[in-house]
Amino acid sequence: MNDRTHASLGAAKILLSRKAGGSPWRTLTFRASLALGLLIAAFCTLWFDRAGLRDNIDGHMSVADVMYFTMITVTTVGYGDIVPVTERARLIDAFFLTPIRLFIWLIFLGTAVDIIFKRSWERFRMRKIQGTLRNHVVLAGFGRTGSTVARQLLDDGVSLDQIVAIDCNEEACDVAREMGLAVVQGDATDNNVLSAVHVERAANLVAAAGRDDTSILIVLTARALAHDLAIAVSISAEDNEDIASHAGATTVINPITVSAKLLAGASKRVAQA
């Protein structure tokens, strides 16, 4: 098995992710609280109308009996040991407890759909998007520079689906997800990670890891996987600019040099004025 096959197998295990619709724990807590509130409402109603219930065991309705009857009624079990005997009690069961029963079941079913089906569907959808990535922009490094590039691309009309962010830092990945970008949390110097975002089919790659050595290594890795890829890299040390070019970068940007030229130009215009 050659290196390219190994990379393909590793890339198959790396999936894109996007911002979730909401915190699963917050949603679960809200739904559990709602279900508990409905149960309490059912218990209070049955307790105040306990005279309409009959315990066929001892003829006495205690708090425990009402709690027990509430649970078996809501869960539609019903053993026949406690039954509604008055017309009002039966109407309460028909028109008050039945809607509560349905609401609670809907809450449980909705939670199951969210946890199992919806999340499975989202993974399937992201896998499909990942498989069809083409002519996209890969941002290798999503720190200050990478996030600024992403915002500029979006301002220029580039679609969210055409930008993929890669970063090892979880906080940086969260920032990218908040922007709505597809994200891979991993090391962009790894063949498997770059293969996972189909760098060979990308239009551009921007390497902005925050360290020159890491950014240059990203350039080397990307160039080995995609010979015709346009690669832009951010370099902070002037001595590393030629190294980045030799590594395969098509565009080398030194923010300090660019800023200095802009400041010099502005100073020159002021002096001439």
Side-chain angles (χ1 to χ4, degrees):
M1 191 178 291
N2 57 34
D3 291 340
R4 187 172 292 274
T5 304
H6 278 297
S8 299
L9 291 175
K13 300 177 182 178
I14 301 171
L15 289 179
L16 299 178
S17 64
R18 273 207 177 115
K19 180 185 177 182
S23 170
W25 289 110
R26 183 179 301 173
T27 302
L28 186 61
T29 301
F30 171 75
R31 291 180 178 177
S33 300
L34 182 59
L36 181 60
L38 291 172
L39 285 173
I40 292 173
F43 169 78
C44 291
T45 302
L46 289 172
W47 174 253
F48 287 116
D49 191 54
R50 61 188 180 280
L53 304 175
R54 182 171 64 198
D55 187 344
N56 292 321
I57 304 301
D58 58 12
H60 173 68
M61 290 298 300
S62 64
V63 174
D65 289 332
V66 175
M67 290 179 62
Y68 163 75
F69 183 68
T70 301
M71 296 307 298
I72 64 173
T73 301
V74 169
T75 56
T76 68
V77 177
Y79 295 109
D81 48 351
I82 299 177
V83 294
V85 292
T86 65
E87 183 175 325
R88 185 174 66 177
R90 290 173 179 174
L91 289 174
I92 289 174
D93 188 280
F95 294 104
F96 183 71
L97 296 181
T98 297
I100 286 179
R101 185 185 303 124
L102 292 174
F103 275 124
I104 289 177
W105 278 108
L106 287 174
I107 289 170
F108 287 140
L109 288 174
T111 302
V113 168
D114 272 351
I115 292 176
I116 300 174
F117 300 106
K118 188 176 179 180
R119 298 187 188 284
S120 298
W121 168 252
E122 183 63 16
R123 285 195 295 269
F124 170 77
R125 191 175 72 87
M126 293 307 298
R127 190 179 289 111
K128 186 176 181 181
I129 292 174
Q130 184 172 354
T132 57
L133 282 173
R134 190 176 299 276
N135 295 324
H136 52 292
V137 179
V138 178
L139 301 180
F142 206 77
R144 182 179 301 176
T145 301
S147 59
T148 303
V149 172
R151 292 186 182 93
Q152 186 61 53
L153 289 171
L154 294 174
D155 289 342
D156 291 343
V158 178
S159 170
L160 283 170
D161 292 335
Q162 292 301 108
I163 305 175
V164 179
I166 304 173
D167 205 290
C168 294
N169 185 275
E170 186 173 355
E171 292 182 2
C173 290
D174 287 341
V175 171
R177 292 189 188 98
E178 286 292 331
M179 294 176 63
L181 304 182
V183 179
V184 169
Q185 184 172 348
D187 186 354
T189 65
D190 187 342
N191 284 4
N192 294 332
V193 173
L194 291 183
S195 295
V197 299
H198 294 289
V199 71
E200 74 282 357
R201 300 200 304 243
N204 303 89
L205 180 141
V206 177
R211 288 171 51 104
D212 287 358
D213 53 351
T214 305
S215 295
I216 291 171
L217 185 54
I218 292 172
V219 172
L220 284 168
T221 307
R223 181 57 69 207
L225 294 172
H227 301 296
D228 299 323
L229 176 67
I231 302 176
V233 60
S234 175
I235 295 296
S236 58
E238 188 174 351
D239 293 343
N240 292 329
E241 293 180 20
D242 288 340
I243 299 175
S245 296
H246 290 309
T250 51
T251 304
V252 179
I253 302 295
N254 187 325
I256 297 176
T257 301
V258 172
S259 299
K261 289 181 178 178
L262 291 174
L263 289 172
S267 301
K268 184 177 180 181
R269 287 193 296 272
V270 171
Q272 290 175 346

mmCIF file with all atom_site columns, all heavy atoms in Angstrom, residues 11-12 21 29 70 76 117 130 153 161-162 188 191 220 222 254 269:
data_model
loop_
_atom_site.group_PDB
_atom_site.id
_atom_site.type_symbol
_atom_site.label_atom_id
_atom_site.label_alt_id
_atom_site.label_comp_id
_atom_site.label_asym_id
_atom_site.label_entity_id
_atom_site.label_seq_id
_atom_site.pdbx_PDB_ins_code
_atom_site.Cartn_x
_atom_site.Cartn_y
_atom_site.Cartn_z
_atom_site.occupancy
_atom_site.B_iso_or_equiv
_atom_site.pdbx_formal_charge
_atom_site.auth_seq_id
_atom_site.auth_comp_id
_atom_site.auth_asym_id
_atom_site.auth_atom_id
_atom_site.pdbx_PDB_model_num
ATOM 1   N N   . ALA A 1 11  ? -7.743  10.305 5.288  1.00 0.00 ? 11  ALA A N   1
ATOM 2   C CA  . ALA A 1 11  ? -8.626  11.429 4.995  1.00 0.00 ? 11  ALA A CA  1
ATOM 3   C C   . ALA A 1 11  ? -10.087 11.033 5.110  1.00 0.00 ? 11  ALA A C   1
ATOM 4   O O   . ALA A 1 11  ? -10.938 11.851 5.464  1.00 0.00 ? 11  ALA A O   1
ATOM 5   C CB  . ALA A 1 11  ? -8.347  11.961 3.584  1.00 0.00 ? 11  ALA A CB  1
ATOM 6   N N   . ALA A 1 12  ? -10.393 9.766  4.808  1.00 0.00 ? 12  ALA A N   1
ATOM 7   C CA  . ALA A 1 12  ? -11.781 9.309  4.868  1.00 0.00 ? 12  ALA A CA  1
ATOM 8   C C   . ALA A 1 12  ? -12.347 9.375  6.281  1.00 0.00 ? 12  ALA A C   1
ATOM 9   O O   . ALA A 1 12  ? -13.559 9.411  6.470  1.00 0.00 ? 12  ALA A O   1
ATOM 10  C CB  . ALA A 1 12  ? -11.876 7.881  4.338  1.00 0.00 ? 12  ALA A CB  1
ATOM 11  N N   . GLY A 1 21  ? -27.127 23.805 15.417 1.00 0.00 ? 21  GLY A N   1
ATOM 12  C CA  . GLY A 1 21  ? -28.275 24.687 15.561 1.00 0.00 ? 21  GLY A CA  1
ATOM 13  C C   . GLY A 1 21  ? -28.427 25.241 16.962 1.00 0.00 ? 21  GLY A C   1
ATOM 14  O O   . GLY A 1 21  ? -29.062 26.257 17.174 1.00 0.00 ? 21  GLY A O   1
ATOM 15  N N   . THR A 1 29  ? -32.112 20.047 28.404 1.00 0.00 ? 29  THR A N   1
ATOM 16  C CA  . THR A 1 29  ? -32.563 20.566 29.698 1.00 0.00 ? 29  THR A CA  1
ATOM 17  C C   . THR A 1 29  ? -33.925 21.238 29.578 1.00 0.00 ? 29  THR A C   1
ATOM 18  O O   . THR A 1 29  ? -34.810 21.047 30.431 1.00 0.00 ? 29  THR A O   1
ATOM 19  C CB  . THR A 1 29  ? -31.533 21.575 30.247 1.00 0.00 ? 29  THR A CB  1
ATOM 20  O OG1 . THR A 1 29  ? -30.266 20.924 30.401 1.00 0.00 ? 29  THR A OG1 1
ATOM 21  C CG2 . THR A 1 29  ? -31.974 22.122 31.594 1.00 0.00 ? 29  THR A CG2 1
ATOM 22  N N   . THR A 1 70  ? -50.647 9.101  38.314 1.00 0.00 ? 70  THR A N   1
ATOM 23  C CA  . THR A 1 70  ? -50.192 10.082 37.318 1.00 0.00 ? 70  THR A CA  1
ATOM 24  C C   . THR A 1 70  ? -49.226 9.440  36.326 1.00 0.00 ? 70  THR A C   1
ATOM 25  O O   . THR A 1 70  ? -49.350 9.612  35.100 1.00 0.00 ? 70  THR A O   1
ATOM 26  C CB  . THR A 1 70  ? -49.502 11.273 38.010 1.00 0.00 ? 70  THR A CB  1
ATOM 27  O OG1 . THR A 1 70  ? -50.414 11.897 38.910 1.00 0.00 ? 70  THR A OG1 1
ATOM 28  C CG2 . THR A 1 70  ? -49.013 12.292 36.988 1.00 0.00 ? 70  THR A CG2 1
ATOM 29  N N   . THR A 1 76  ? -49.562 5.605  29.695 1.00 0.00 ? 76  THR A N   1
ATOM 30  C CA  . THR A 1 76  ? -50.607 4.754  29.103 1.00 0.00 ? 76  THR A CA  1
ATOM 31  C C   . THR A 1 76  ? -50.489 3.293  29.518 1.00 0.00 ? 76  THR A C   1
ATOM 32  O O   . THR A 1 76  ? -50.891 2.403  28.765 1.00 0.00 ? 76  THR A O   1
ATOM 33  C CB  . THR A 1 76  ? -50.598 4.845  27.548 1.00 0.00 ? 76  THR A CB  1
ATOM 34  O OG1 . THR A 1 76  ? -49.409 4.246  27.053 1.00 0.00 ? 76  THR A OG1 1
ATOM 35  C CG2 . THR A 1 76  ? -50.702 6.281  27.078 1.00 0.00 ? 76  THR A CG2 1
ATOM 36  N N   . PHE A 1 117 ? -31.508 11.036 14.533 1.00 0.00 ? 117 PHE A N   1
ATOM 37  C CA  . PHE A 1 117 ? -31.717 11.212 13.106 1.00 0.00 ? 117 PHE A CA  1
ATOM 38  C C   . PHE A 1 117 ? -31.136 12.517 12.582 1.00 0.00 ? 117 PHE A C   1
ATOM 39  O O   . PHE A 1 117 ? -30.450 12.533 11.557 1.00 0.00 ? 117 PHE A O   1
ATOM 40  C CB  . PHE A 1 117 ? -33.217 11.133 12.788 1.00 0.00 ? 117 PHE A CB  1
ATOM 41  C CG  . PHE A 1 117 ? -33.834 9.824  13.175 1.00 0.00 ? 117 PHE A CG  1
ATOM 42  C CD1 . PHE A 1 117 ? -34.668 9.726  14.282 1.00 0.00 ? 117 PHE A CD1 1
ATOM 43  C CD2 . PHE A 1 117 ? -33.569 8.672  12.456 1.00 0.00 ? 117 PHE A CD2 1
ATOM 44  C CE1 . PHE A 1 117 ? -35.233 8.521  14.649 1.00 0.00 ? 117 PHE A CE1 1
ATOM 45  C CE2 . PHE A 1 117 ? -34.129 7.463  12.811 1.00 0.00 ? 117 PHE A CE2 1
ATOM 46  C CZ  . PHE A 1 117 ? -34.959 7.372  13.907 1.00 0.00 ? 117 PHE A CZ  1
ATOM 47  N N   . GLN A 1 130 ? -18.329 17.524 1.637  1.00 0.00 ? 130 GLN A N   1
ATOM 48  C CA  . GLN A 1 130 ? -16.893 17.280 1.609  1.00 0.00 ? 130 GLN A CA  1
ATOM 49  C C   . GLN A 1 130 ? -16.493 16.544 0.333  1.00 0.00 ? 130 GLN A C   1
ATOM 50  O O   . GLN A 1 130 ? -15.470 16.840 -0.274 1.00 0.00 ? 130 GLN A O   1
ATOM 51  C CB  . GLN A 1 130 ? -16.498 16.456 2.838  1.00 0.00 ? 130 GLN A CB  1
ATOM 52  C CG  . GLN A 1 130 ? -15.005 16.205 2.982  1.00 0.00 ? 130 GLN A CG  1
ATOM 53  C CD  . GLN A 1 130 ? -14.684 15.568 4.315  1.00 0.00 ? 130 GLN A CD  1
ATOM 54  O OE1 . GLN A 1 130 ? -15.538 15.411 5.176  1.00 0.00 ? 130 GLN A OE1 1
ATOM 55  N NE2 . GLN A 1 130 ? -13.447 15.188 4.497  1.00 0.00 ? 130 GLN A NE2 1
ATOM 56  N N   . LEU A 1 153 ? -13.163 37.553 2.105  1.00 0.00 ? 153 LEU A N   1
ATOM 57  C CA  . LEU A 1 153 ? -13.709 36.704 1.044  1.00 0.00 ? 153 LEU A CA  1
ATOM 58  C C   . LEU A 1 153 ? -15.235 36.760 1.032  1.00 0.00 ? 153 LEU A C   1
ATOM 59  O O   . LEU A 1 153 ? -15.859 36.848 -0.029 1.00 0.00 ? 153 LEU A O   1
ATOM 60  C CB  . LEU A 1 153 ? -13.243 35.260 1.237  1.00 0.00 ? 153 LEU A CB  1
ATOM 61  C CG  . LEU A 1 153 ? -11.764 34.967 0.949  1.00 0.00 ? 153 LEU A CG  1
ATOM 62  C CD1 . LEU A 1 153 ? -11.401 33.563 1.397  1.00 0.00 ? 153 LEU A CD1 1
ATOM 63  C CD2 . LEU A 1 153 ? -11.464 35.132 -0.535 1.00 0.00 ? 153 LEU A CD2 1
ATOM 64  N N   . ASP A 1 161 ? -20.128 28.004 1.366  1.00 0.00 ? 161 ASP A N   1
ATOM 65  C CA  . ASP A 1 161 ? -19.838 26.623 0.988  1.00 0.00 ? 161 ASP A CA  1
ATOM 66  C C   . ASP A 1 161 ? -18.510 26.475 0.262  1.00 0.00 ? 161 ASP A C   1
ATOM 67  O O   . ASP A 1 161 ? -18.044 25.359 0.061  1.00 0.00 ? 161 ASP A O   1
ATOM 68  C CB  . ASP A 1 161 ? -20.958 26.068 0.096  1.00 0.00 ? 161 ASP A CB  1
ATOM 69  C CG  . ASP A 1 161 ? -22.262 25.896 0.855  1.00 0.00 ? 161 ASP A CG  1
ATOM 70  O OD1 . ASP A 1 161 ? -22.195 25.746 2.088  1.00 0.00 ? 161 ASP A OD1 1
ATOM 71  O OD2 . ASP A 1 161 ? -23.325 25.909 0.216  1.00 0.00 ? 161 ASP A OD2 1
ATOM 72  N N   . GLN A 1 162 ? -17.923 27.604 -0.148 1.00 0.00 ? 162 GLN A N   1
ATOM 73  C CA  . GLN A 1 162 ? -16.674 27.562 -0.908 1.00 0.00 ? 162 GLN A CA  1
ATOM 74  C C   . GLN A 1 162 ? -15.460 27.905 -0.057 1.00 0.00 ? 162 GLN A C   1
ATOM 75  O O   . GLN A 1 162 ? -14.371 28.109 -0.587 1.00 0.00 ? 162 GLN A O   1
ATOM 76  C CB  . GLN A 1 162 ? -16.752 28.522 -2.098 1.00 0.00 ? 162 GLN A CB  1
ATOM 77  C CG  . GLN A 1 162 ? -17.741 28.094 -3.176 1.00 0.00 ? 162 GLN A CG  1
ATOM 78  C CD  . GLN A 1 162 ? -17.384 26.728 -3.746 1.00 0.00 ? 162 GLN A CD  1
ATOM 79  O OE1 . GLN A 1 162 ? -18.073 25.748 -3.484 1.00 0.00 ? 162 GLN A OE1 1
ATOM 80  N NE2 . GLN A 1 162 ? -16.312 26.652 -4.512 1.00 0.00 ? 162 GLN A NE2 1
ATOM 81  N N   . ALA A 1 188 ? -2.818  21.214 9.582  1.00 0.00 ? 188 ALA A N   1
ATOM 82  C CA  . ALA A 1 188 ? -2.786  21.421 8.134  1.00 0.00 ? 188 ALA A CA  1
ATOM 83  C C   . ALA A 1 188 ? -1.485  20.966 7.496  1.00 0.00 ? 188 ALA A C   1
ATOM 84  O O   . ALA A 1 188 ? -1.379  20.946 6.271  1.00 0.00 ? 188 ALA A O   1
ATOM 85  C CB  . ALA A 1 188 ? -3.036  22.895 7.813  1.00 0.00 ? 188 ALA A CB  1
ATOM 86  N N   . ASN A 1 191 ? -0.809  15.332 5.643  1.00 0.00 ? 191 ASN A N   1
ATOM 87  C CA  . ASN A 1 191 ? -1.363  14.955 4.337  1.00 0.00 ? 191 ASN A CA  1
ATOM 88  C C   . ASN A 1 191 ? -2.829  14.574 4.435  1.00 0.00 ? 191 ASN A C   1
ATOM 89  O O   . ASN A 1 191 ? -3.634  14.911 3.561  1.00 0.00 ? 191 ASN A O   1
ATOM 90  C CB  . ASN A 1 191 ? -0.582  13.772 3.753  1.00 0.00 ? 191 ASN A CB  1
ATOM 91  C CG  . ASN A 1 191 ? 0.766   14.188 3.206  1.00 0.00 ? 191 ASN A CG  1
ATOM 92  O OD1 . ASN A 1 191 ? 1.157   15.339 3.333  1.00 0.00 ? 191 ASN A OD1 1
ATOM 93  N ND2 . ASN A 1 191 ? 1.475   13.254 2.604  1.00 0.00 ? 191 ASN A ND2 1
ATOM 94  N N   . LEU A 1 220 ? 4.673   23.230 1.649  1.00 0.00 ? 220 LEU A N   1
ATOM 95  C CA  . LEU A 1 220 ? 5.334   22.032 1.115  1.00 0.00 ? 220 LEU A CA  1
ATOM 96  C C   . LEU A 1 220 ? 4.361   20.866 0.989  1.00 0.00 ? 220 LEU A C   1
ATOM 97  O O   . LEU A 1 220 ? 4.329   20.161 -0.032 1.00 0.00 ? 220 LEU A O   1
ATOM 98  C CB  . LEU A 1 220 ? 6.507   21.644 2.018  1.00 0.00 ? 220 LEU A CB  1
ATOM 99  C CG  . LEU A 1 220 ? 7.782   22.482 1.924  1.00 0.00 ? 220 LEU A CG  1
ATOM 100 C CD1 . LEU A 1 220 ? 8.728   22.158 3.078  1.00 0.00 ? 220 LEU A CD1 1
ATOM 101 C CD2 . LEU A 1 220 ? 8.471   22.223 0.579  1.00 0.00 ? 220 LEU A CD2 1
ATOM 102 N N   . ALA A 1 222 ? 1.019   20.961 0.859  1.00 0.00 ? 222 ALA A N   1
ATOM 103 C CA  . ALA A 1 222 ? -0.014  21.237 -0.135 1.00 0.00 ? 222 ALA A CA  1
ATOM 104 C C   . ALA A 1 222 ? 0.526   21.115 -1.550 1.00 0.00 ? 222 ALA A C   1
ATOM 105 O O   . ALA A 1 222 ? -0.146  20.566 -2.435 1.00 0.00 ? 222 ALA A O   1
ATOM 106 C CB  . ALA A 1 222 ? -0.589  22.636 0.094  1.00 0.00 ? 222 ALA A CB  1
ATOM 107 N N   . ASN A 1 254 ? 4.371   39.460 3.270  1.00 0.00 ? 254 ASN A N   1
ATOM 108 C CA  . ASN A 1 254 ? 4.965   39.813 4.553  1.00 0.00 ? 254 ASN A CA  1
ATOM 109 C C   . ASN A 1 254 ? 4.203   41.031 5.085  1.00 0.00 ? 254 ASN A C   1
ATOM 110 O O   . ASN A 1 254 ? 4.379   42.143 4.573  1.00 0.00 ? 254 ASN A O   1
ATOM 111 C CB  . ASN A 1 254 ? 6.449   40.153 4.392  1.00 0.00 ? 254 ASN A CB  1
ATOM 112 C CG  . ASN A 1 254 ? 7.143   40.353 5.729  1.00 0.00 ? 254 ASN A CG  1
ATOM 113 O OD1 . ASN A 1 254 ? 6.548   40.858 6.678  1.00 0.00 ? 254 ASN A OD1 1
ATOM 114 N ND2 . ASN A 1 254 ? 8.403   39.973 5.800  1.00 0.00 ? 254 ASN A ND2 1
ATOM 115 N N   . ARG A 1 269 ? 3.347   61.097 0.274  1.00 0.00 ? 269 ARG A N   1
ATOM 116 C CA  . ARG A 1 269 ? 2.290   61.972 -0.277 1.00 0.00 ? 269 ARG A CA  1
ATOM 117 C C   . ARG A 1 269 ? 2.072   63.174 0.641  1.00 0.00 ? 269 ARG A C   1
ATOM 118 O O   . ARG A 1 269 ? 1.851   64.298 0.172  1.00 0.00 ? 269 ARG A O   1
ATOM 119 C CB  . ARG A 1 269 ? 0.999   61.172 -0.434 1.00 0.00 ? 269 ARG A CB  1
ATOM 120 C CG  . ARG A 1 269 ? 1.032   60.191 -1.592 1.00 0.00 ? 269 ARG A CG  1
ATOM 121 C CD  . ARG A 1 269 ? -0.367  59.659 -1.899 1.00 0.00 ? 269 ARG A CD  1
ATOM 122 N NE  . ARG A 1 269 ? -0.897  58.884 -0.776 1.00 0.00 ? 269 ARG A NE  1
ATOM 123 C CZ  . ARG A 1 269 ? -0.693  57.592 -0.622 1.00 0.00 ? 269 ARG A CZ  1
ATOM 124 N NH1 . ARG A 1 269 ? 0.036   56.909 -1.503 1.00 0.00 ? 269 ARG A NH1 1
ATOM 125 N NH2 . ARG A 1 269 ? -1.217  56.951 0.395  1.00 0.00 ? 269 ARG A NH2 1
#
